[in-house]
Amino acid sequence: MGTPRPQARHADLQRNILGFCRLLRERELLVSPSEVIDALRTANAVDLGDRQELKVALRSVLTSKPEDIPVYDWTFEEFWRSAPPERVEERVEDSQVQSDPNASQGDDSEPQPAEGDDDSSEATEELEMPLYSPVETLAGRDFSAFAADDMAEIARAILVVAKRLATRESRRYRATRRGSAIDLRRTMRRNIKYGGTVIELARKARKIRKPRIVLICDVSRSMDTYSRFLLQFLYAMQNTLGRVESFVFSTRLTRVTEYFHSGDIHQALDRIAAEVPDWSGGTRIGQSLKSFNDDWSLRLLNKHTVLIIMSDGLDTGDASVLELEMERLQKRAGKVIWLNPLLGNEDYRPLARGMSAALPHVDLFASAHNLASLQALGRHLVV
Amino acid sequence: MLPQIAEIQSRLERQHYVTDRAIATTVYLAMELRKPVLIEGQAGVGKTEIAKVLAASLETELIRLQCYEGLDASSALYEWNYPKQMLHIRLQEAAHVEGRSVRQAEAEIFSEPYLLQRPLLRAISHPDRAPVLLIDEVDRADEEFEAFLLEVLSDFQVTIPELGTVKAEHRPYVVLTSNRTRELSDALKRRCLYLWIDYPDFEKEVRIIESKVEGINHHLAEQVAGFMQVVRRVRLGKTPGMAESIDWAMSLMALHADHLEPEAVNATLGAILKDRDDVNRLSGTRAETIISEIGRLDPKDLATAAPSIAQRIDKELAPRS
Ligand SMILES: Nc1ncnc2c1ncn2[C@@H]1O[C@H](COP(=O)(O)OP(=O)(O)O)[C@@H](O)[C@H]1O
Ligand SMILES: [Mg+2]
């Protein structure tokens, strides 16, 4: 009894670090046993009374790209704030219970498809995600089926999905350059006998451009159940992918890219709700897209842009305006994707006047009613 | 804060490097865990500078390997001095040295005097103390080269077939930087601690300008930083980094400006904008708008005002079709 012996405290710390690493791994950071060992060494090397120090120190061990950082910071706050040592023990056990038994056993050796060293093939990538990841248990559920309490959980999952898209994207554009260096040493050896000529070979670089992404999200009343999830998605995309421009509209268009620069999603959402005119009002898709075309498209759209519109297509405006504006958009953009949350419903047919006017000018028409559908987007973020 | 970390922070600050906690802590850990640090960030955020000030503060040599496309193992490690070898062979021929085997001839020319040490070998064979090895802009090298680096960074030893194995007596402190033009391999990342450096916020930028631009008054430093914070948020062809802020502040000083005013700004805009289109976009009324907005604000509001000013400028810039 009495005060815990130093050894006991040490064991607590170790458990905490392990639990924290596990959580990060579930959230798809590159955390293998060697990082865990470094994390333990790090915890022993810093001032544990100083939480900020622990946070930045572990961050340099446990992250490996900028997209990881929002996930890490978030997870750190969540884990270390909410978890005094006793609770952490439970937490670690909890997550073991929830885990897929195969997955939790193979922690050390099991390959991590999404983060592995060699590029897994495009088609199987989604299927091979570890099953115990929090995303997977939520993936199929329609956004409208979540209660307000689930918001935090789903927001985290959305962040993970956005990170996957970002990771996949940078992988895709990781230049595969071929080396064909000349072996001067061997050339020289030959020269000893024969004497020789020097040959110079030049190589050319291949330039690859990543697409820029422009997101336009409908926040009118008919989209209420979905838009708060989709805005989380906008936020997450912007913060993991960079090169993303975000707009929202109901009756008018507003650029919200800057709103999302603040580190806090709630602040950003509050600001949008306060400053965006007619939030949750009627819908004038055609007019809103017209002002995008007039004001922004020249600067933001080109053949390397993927434009993503998220809307149910229920337009109260003039369908011929919408059609014309869609045509203009498609001319400029590399690809136009329309995500309609209603598509998740099997009975839905895109017959609404607006939707059918827009469809001929859309390159991809897909659903956006759950996490799985957002994640499936990864395949299409190319031009 | 651990005293050792505070010590690193103040040592780097003494080299005029504005050092936040994350940077000081990562440097400390790199020494503690004996791992290389990979620093990523946009151009001009102070990545390369860290290695330089680290070497200076440790009073040790900085050895720099600048990466480029096509960089191969031999130019990074060592090369044989081929012209010298060639010359030697020719001389031997001319002297009609007889009775020597090809093997002997080889042994002669593949020996120390014909060896050219390149940065990696120099870093490994440093005679008296651990140097700082800066592997700069590693994203510009090929993936093959990355794999090779990984080997060197694992063992800190290399084998030169003709001469034998060289092993580091003083393991260098290694800093790698990348501008992220491509993603590095997971294997290399695993070897390293990771540090992401963002563009500085307003306060940090003020401090950097003040530490790098001698004699600048606080007011001008704040205005320059405030202006740069806005410019970085406007959509431009090429977003300026810290080098540009510093250059600009110096140009303004050269014009004896003690605050931002339109004439001086328009005359010096070339210091921050390297792209002609960008200059056209911002010069004239746009620059004036930013200046007057900044002039109006209390310094403590400058830090947070940049996004909304930038948004206004962006809107003005949006062309009408
Ligand atoms: N934190 C800092 N403190 C002092 N000077 C800085 C800082 N960050 C950047 N600089 C200055 O900005 C310029 C660009 O930095 P550099 O290290 O070359 O950028 P990078 O390698 O990231 O492209 C240099 O002149 C450097 O001295
Ligand atoms: Mg540099």
Side-chain angles (χ1 to χ4, degrees):
Chain A
M1 295 292 121
T3 50
R5 285 168 303 131
Q7 259 175 352
R9 242 184 286 147
H10 182 74
D12 274 347
L13 174 65
Q14 232 174 29
R15 247 194 308 276
N16 280 352
I17 297 285
L18 293 178
F20 181 53
C21 287
R22 184 192 300 267
L23 199 53
L24 288 173
R25 209 176 113 89
E26 282 174 10
R27 292 175 186 177
E28 296 168 15
L29 270 65
L30 194 63
V31 178
S32 70
S34 79
E35 279 75 30
V36 176
I37 292 168
D38 281 344
L40 290 167
R41 291 171 66 199
T42 300
N44 285 323
V46 300
D47 175 4
L48 288 171
D50 184 341
R51 184 156 291 188
Q52 190 61 22
E53 186 162 303
L54 183 66
K55 180 175 174 179
V56 295
L58 287 177
R59 186 163 59 199
S60 66
V61 173
L62 298 171
T63 62
S64 59
K65 48 175 162 317
E67 299 92 69
D68 289 346
I69 289 170
V71 179
Y72 173 89
D73 286 351
W74 190 340
T75 306
F76 185 92
E77 296 305 335
E78 173 189 322
F79 187 89
W80 297 94
R81 181 173 302 151
S82 68
E86 314 81 60
R87 280 214 26 228
V88 174
E89 268 170 70
E90 291 165 29
R91 173 193 290 276
V92 171
E93 276 151 23
D94 266 3
S95 65
Q96 269 166 344
V97 173
Q98 283 170 5
S99 308
D100 174 294
N102 301 322
S104 67
Q105 257 180 12
D107 249 11
D108 294 358
S109 54
E110 161 226 4
Q112 284 182 292
E115 308 276 351
D117 281 350
D118 47 15
D119 293 350
S120 33
S121 86
E122 298 265 307
T124 55
E125 197 172 309
E126 267 95 3
L127 298 175
E128 287 173 356
M129 295 308 301
L131 281 170
Y132 57 82
S133 165
V135 175
E136 274 50 45
T137 54
L138 304 173
R141 228 155 111 198
D142 195 286
F143 287 139
S144 60
F146 286 97
D149 295 353
D150 299 329
M151 201 62 200
E153 193 184 358
I154 191 87
R156 274 194 298 276
I158 286 177
L159 198 60
V160 172
V161 167
K163 193 174 93 59
R164 282 182 192 170
L165 295 182
T167 304
R168 177 194 177 116
E169 227 228 359
S170 47
R171 218 161 262 272
R172 185 182 284 144
Y173 287 91
R174 184 190 283 178
T176 42
R177 287 180 250 161
R178 284 275 186 71
S180 55
I182 323 159
D183 189 336
L184 268 176
R185 180 176 357 210
R186 285 222 321 267
T187 313
M188 203 60 215
R189 285 187 194 285
R190 252 176 259 139
N191 280 342
I192 294 174
K193 284 186 205 149
Y194 308 117
T197 349
V198 177
I199 306 161
E200 204 174 301
L201 295 180
R203 269 179 286 154
K204 276 218 166 68
R206 204 150 49 99
K207 260 255 167 13
I208 309 180
R209 277 177 75 169
K210 290 191 190 185
R212 170 190 288 167
I213 293 171
V214 176
L215 299 160
I216 304 181
C217 184
D218 184 342
V219 294
S220 63
R221 193 174 307 114
S222 65
M223 286 282 289
D224 253 2
T225 30
Y226 295 101
S227 55
R228 54 195 183 120
F229 297 101
L230 296 178
L231 285 173
Q232 298 264 4
F233 184 61
L234 258 57
Y235 175 82
M237 288 282 276
Q238 221 177 285
N239 279 288
T240 52
L241 214 54
R243 293 174 298 99
V244 175
E245 284 284 348
S246 307
F247 295 82
V248 300
F249 69 89
S250 52
T251 57
R252 260 182 300 166
L253 181 84
T254 310
R255 174 170 176 252
V256 294
T257 308
E258 285 297 341
Y259 296 28
F260 287 141
H261 282 332
S262 86
D264 180 358
I265 170 85
H266 301 293
Q267 228 176 312
L269 292 181
D270 288 349
R271 197 170 151 208
I272 293 179
E275 293 180 26
V276 169
D278 307 313
W279 166 270
S280 286
T283 324
R284 291 171 65 206
I285 309 178
Q287 273 305 319
S288 302
L289 294 184
K290 180 172 189 319
S291 60
F292 179 84
N293 270 322
D294 290 348
D295 293 348
W296 296 100
S297 77
L298 207 57
R299 301 193 47 219
L300 298 185
L301 297 189
N302 58 39
K303 288 300 161 202
H304 301 280
T305 319
V306 178
L307 174 71
I308 304 177
I309 299 169
M310 304 174 176
S311 166
D312 54 14
L314 300 174
D315 193 4
T316 53
D318 185 346
S320 64
V321 177
L322 176 58
E323 176 161 13
L324 180 73
E325 297 306 324
M326 286 302 295
E327 194 183 336
R328 286 173 72 193
L329 287 177
Q330 200 189 23
K331 269 203 194 114
R332 291 204 71 88
K335 183 186 258 181
V336 177
I337 297 178
W338 189 301
L339 297 181
N340 187 335
L342 299 182
L343 257 190
N345 181 337
E346 280 175 20
D347 299 329
Y348 172 79
R349 299 284 174 275
L351 297 179
R353 253 179 336 136
M355 203 60 252
S356 54
L359 271 187
H361 306 289
V362 167
D363 299 305
L364 174 76
F365 186 48
S367 151
H369 66 294
N370 62 16
L371 281 170
S373 59
L374 293 182
Q375 179 157 321
L377 202 55
R379 198 175 307 127
H380 304 290
L381 297 184
V382 277
V383 285
Chain B
M1 196 191 301
L2 216 61
Q4 295 94 310
I5 297 178
E7 167 69 16
I8 288 172
Q9 187 167 25
S10 72
R11 274 169 176 254
L12 298 183
E13 290 270 351
R14 245 176 280 146
Q15 303 294 327
H16 304 288
Y17 190 82
V18 176
T19 311
D20 61 29
R21 289 195 80 163
I23 292 172
T25 307
T26 305
V27 168
Y28 161 75
L29 270 187
M31 293 174 164
E32 237 4 66
L33 306 184
R34 317 227 60 190
K35 293 191 85 169
V37 184
L38 167 64
I39 308 175
E40 291 196 319
Q42 305 290 339
V45 294
K47 302 183 294 297
T48 302
E49 188 79 358
I50 289 186
K52 294 185 189 166
V53 293
L54 180 62
S57 75
L58 294 170
E59 296 177 10
T60 187
E61 190 187 350
L62 174 76
I63 298 176
R64 177 175 186 164
L65 173 64
Q66 172 63 53
C67 298
Y68 51 87
E69 192 175 346
L71 171 63
D72 57 0
S74 63
S75 14
L77 204 49
Y78 67 90
E79 281 168 302
W80 291 104
N81 190 340
Y82 296 110
K84 193 170 166 188
Q85 290 177 324
M86 191 69 96
L87 200 65
H88 181 83
I89 298 169
R90 291 275 147 79
L91 285 174
Q92 298 261 303
E93 276 171 12
H96 298 291
V97 180
E98 300 285 332
R100 295 159 44 87
S101 67
V102 169
R103 180 169 309 185
Q104 275 172 322
E106 255 189 51
E108 237 170 71
I109 62 169
F110 288 102
S111 60
E112 288 272 11
Y114 297 86
L115 187 72
L116 297 172
Q117 290 199 340
R118 297 301 181 212
L120 290 182
L121 183 59
R122 279 211 291 130
I124 288 176
S125 50
H126 209 275
D128 29 68
R129 63 196 309 183
V132 171
L133 170 62
L134 165 63
I135 303 175
D136 212 11
E137 302 185 353
V138 65
D139 52 326
R140 292 169 63 177
D142 306 325
E143 280 168 64
E144 270 165 74
F145 183 75
E146 231 180 89
F148 158 75
L149 260 186
L150 196 62
E151 255 177 71
V152 177
L153 296 183
S154 307
D155 308 338
F156 290 97
Q157 72 173 38
V158 293
T159 300
I160 305 173
E162 297 84 353
L163 296 180
T165 299
V166 183
K167 188 165 173 55
E169 258 181 67
H170 308 277
R171 232 196 215 207
Y173 305 102
V174 184
V175 175
L176 299 97
T177 78
S178 160
N179 290 340
R180 261 181 87 75
T181 58
R182 69 180 177 87
E183 184 107 5
L184 305 178
S185 72
D186 287 348
L188 186 60
K189 288 176 169 178
R190 284 226 156 98
R191 270 266 118 233
C192 303
L193 296 177
Y194 185 72
L195 179 63
W196 168 257
I197 305 186
D198 228 324
Y199 286 122
D201 60 15
F202 174 74
E203 283 85 11
K204 184 172 174 187
E205 186 148 20
V206 172
R207 291 198 52 213
I208 294 174
I209 293 169
E210 287 185 321
S211 77
K212 282 288 152 78
V213 183
E214 218 171 301
I216 193 166
N217 73 55
H218 186 62
H219 181 58
L220 181 59
E222 280 188 337
Q223 290 204 313
V224 168
F227 194 98
M228 295 302 290
Q229 294 284 321
V230 174
V231 168
R232 281 199 202 100
R233 287 173 166 82
V234 175
R235 188 164 279 283
L236 291 172
K238 190 169 180 306
T239 303
M242 277 316 301
E244 284 75 17
S245 309
I246 294 167
D247 281 354
W248 190 41
M250 286 179 172
S251 317
L252 288 168
M253 295 279 288
L255 293 180
H256 304 291
D258 59 2
H259 66 282
L260 291 189
E261 42 94 15
E263 209 174 312
V265 170
N266 279 316
T268 51
L269 216 49
I272 41 176
L273 302 173
K274 304 293 164 167
D275 181 315
R276 280 257 313 252
D277 286 346
D278 289 346
V279 175
N280 292 338
R281 273 188 196 140
L282 279 194
S283 60
T285 57
R286 241 78 72 186
E288 282 165 34
T289 307
I290 305 178
I291 297 167
S292 74
E293 288 286 327
I294 287 176
R296 264 184 336 105
L297 287 169
D298 200 70
K300 70 175 182 351
D301 298 325
L302 259 179
T304 50
S308 62
I309 303 176
Q311 181 148 19
R312 252 188 71 184
I313 300 292
D314 249 344
K315 222 176 215 147
E316 279 181 31
L317 283 172
R320 312 243 141 213
S321 54

